[in-house]
Amino acid sequence: PSSVVDLLIQLLADPDEIVRDRAQRSIHIIGPDDRQLEAIVGLLHDERMDVRTEVAGNLISSFGGRLKRAEQGFFDLLQSPETPHEMGDDLLMALADMPPSPERIANLTELLRDEHLTFRAAEALLEMGLDEVHPILEVLQSPECTEFQGVCQAIGSLHHAIDEASTEAISRYRTLADAVLPPLIDALCHEESDVRDYSAYAIHGLRSLAAPATESLGQLLNDPSDSVRLQAIEAVGSIGTAAACAELSTVLDHESNETRCEVAKALGYCISASEAIPALLRLLDDRNADVQAAALESLDRFGSRALPALDRCRHLLQADDAWLRKWAANVIGAIGPDALVAEPDLCEACR
């Protein structure tokens, strides 16, 4: 009844925060109309943080980014040091879902300067589309600034969305990649190893859309910094082209076991089996068992195309290392009917 709702609206101003909280929950369950929503949105400025976060959570779960009237309250909550980190994530995603506006872009740009919010603010701007990434580009063009790491992390986190994107969405991400790659490629040459590391991570998130960065990343495969070198290997592997595979093949004999192991893993993501498999066959003869195991795991991804590795896999069924024997058997199984000649070896390994 409207009389009950009127009473609940009055209780939103009750001096007891528990009463205010229960009142807004009740209105939320009933299903608020515009008048009640206005009163609930007002609680985003409540003196109690637990009330503000409860209200924000309910508004987000019901309306997501459709409730523009809550926008300023969301931004105020984001700027409060008391707001829980998880709530900050939800608030920024709700803001990203709202139709772009100059005010929202300005507010998110301001949040980019807060080291605790840079990552999520950048994510929100990236989610809003190419027209809203100008603040992102400004940060990428100044790699010495404190926001650079958070922005690179946000770009790097796009890999999940790109992996699952539709044809239409991939077109949008390709346009985004074309915009952010030039400053990221420039940053790969920066004198600070952290900047090179962050840049390589960001490029890794763009997957095959980062193909223009292949050669520049290849120059980091022998970087003196372990972290940069390993991140560059992962980024090159995620590009996955024949050219990327050729770059990885230049460090098959690197002195670091960890480096060769990461190269073996990265080769498993190359789409060109004709380039990747010869390199992986070389790594099967590596002196380090971890490198050999990583090469076998990558070969397993190629299925029947891994047939050239059959003889080596049959030999590795007799290895002392149980992990090598396991992965060798896996690769033989992945090869399929063409590997029937290895049946006696598999039976012997089972004894």
Side-chain angles (χ1 to χ4, degrees):
S2 60
S3 58
V4 172
V5 175
D6 289 339
L7 283 173
L8 287 171
I9 291 176
Q10 291 178 32
L11 291 177
L12 293 177
D14 194 274
D16 188 322
E17 68 272 10
I18 296 177
V19 174
R20 296 196 299 274
D21 185 36
R22 294 293 186 271
Q24 70 86 16
R25 289 190 192 189
S26 296
I27 293 175
H28 177 74
I29 292 170
I30 292 170
D33 60 22
D34 284 349
R35 182 173 66 94
Q36 296 145 21
L37 265 178
E38 205 64 49
I40 292 176
V41 168
L43 285 181
L44 288 172
H45 302 283
D46 192 272
E47 63 183 24
R48 295 277 304 188
M49 171 55 71
D50 51 356
V51 174
R52 300 199 297 273
T53 55
E54 181 71 25
V55 169
N58 285 338
L59 289 172
I60 290 170
S61 66
S62 293
F63 301 99
R66 292 173 291 148
L67 193 61
K68 191 177 187 306
R69 71 188 75 185
E71 180 177 344
Q72 190 55 53
F74 286 178
F75 275 115
D76 291 343
L77 266 177
L78 280 167
Q79 292 174 310
S80 170
E82 301 175 55
T83 301
H85 178 75
E86 296 80 6
M87 174 58 68
D89 292 349
D90 292 341
L91 290 167
L92 280 167
M93 289 303 97
L95 289 165
D97 288 340
M98 294 181 184
S101 70
E103 297 80 9
R104 189 169 311 110
I105 302 306
N107 281 328
L108 287 170
T109 301
E110 184 65 29
L111 292 179
L112 276 177
R113 300 188 178 93
D114 184 329
E115 62 179 324
H116 301 295
L117 295 172
T118 299
F119 170 63
R120 291 305 185 193
E123 270 198 324
L125 286 166
L126 290 168
E127 186 66 27
M128 293 170 74
L130 182 65
D131 292 339
E132 323 312 333
V133 300
H134 299 297
I136 299 287
L137 295 177
E138 290 179 8
V139 170
L140 293 178
Q141 289 161 358
S142 303
E144 296 84 4
C145 68
T146 56
E147 303 96 318
F148 187 79
Q149 178 183 359
V151 167
C152 285
Q153 288 174 331
I155 297 172
S157 69
L158 290 174
H159 64 91
H160 292 301
I162 291 175
D163 287 343
E164 299 173 2
S166 64
T167 303
E168 181 181 353
I170 280 292
S171 177
R172 181 173 73 85
Y173 285 122
R174 181 173 289 106
T175 303
L176 173 65
D178 290 343
V180 301
L181 273 175
L184 285 172
I185 291 173
D186 288 344
L188 291 175
C189 303
H190 199 277
E191 61 182 6
E192 294 291 333
S193 62
D194 283 349
V195 172
R196 301 195 300 276
D197 196 353
Y198 301 149
S199 303
Y201 177 77
I203 292 172
H204 155 260
L206 297 172
R207 298 305 208 215
S208 62
L209 303 179
T214 303
E215 184 177 352
S216 298
L217 286 168
Q219 295 174 12
L220 297 183
L221 299 183
N222 284 296
D223 196 274
S225 164
D226 290 345
S227 178
V228 172
R229 187 169 62 251
L230 297 177
Q231 188 60 70
I233 289 169
E234 187 173 3
V236 173
S238 70
I239 291 172
T241 60
C245 190
E247 291 288 352
L248 291 172
S249 296
T250 64
V251 284
L252 297 178
D253 298 314
H254 196 278
E255 62 183 10
S256 163
N257 291 339
E258 186 178 14
T259 295
R260 298 194 309 281
C261 193
E262 289 303 311
V263 169
K265 293 176 184 177
L267 285 166
Y269 293 96
C270 287
I271 58 176
S272 174
S274 61
E275 291 281 350
I277 289 178
L280 288 168
L281 291 178
R282 282 183 57 186
L283 292 174
L284 283 185
D285 296 327
D286 196 272
R287 61 185 179 275
N288 182 272
D290 289 338
V291 176
Q292 290 177 295
L296 286 168
E297 188 172 354
S298 288
L299 282 165
D300 187 50
R301 294 175 179 272
F302 287 100
S304 61
R305 293 177 294 171
L307 180 60
L310 179 59
D311 288 342
R312 284 180 174 84
C313 288
R314 293 174 67 184
H315 175 72
L316 286 171
L317 287 174
Q318 307 303 318
D320 293 334
D321 189 303
W323 197 244
L324 287 181
R325 297 197 302 273
K326 170 189 178 298
W327 275 109
N330 282 358
V331 175
I332 291 171
I335 292 171
D338 289 337
L340 281 175
V341 67
E343 185 178 356
D345 303 286
L346 289 168
C347 292
E348 180 66 26
C350 291
R351 293 176 182 174

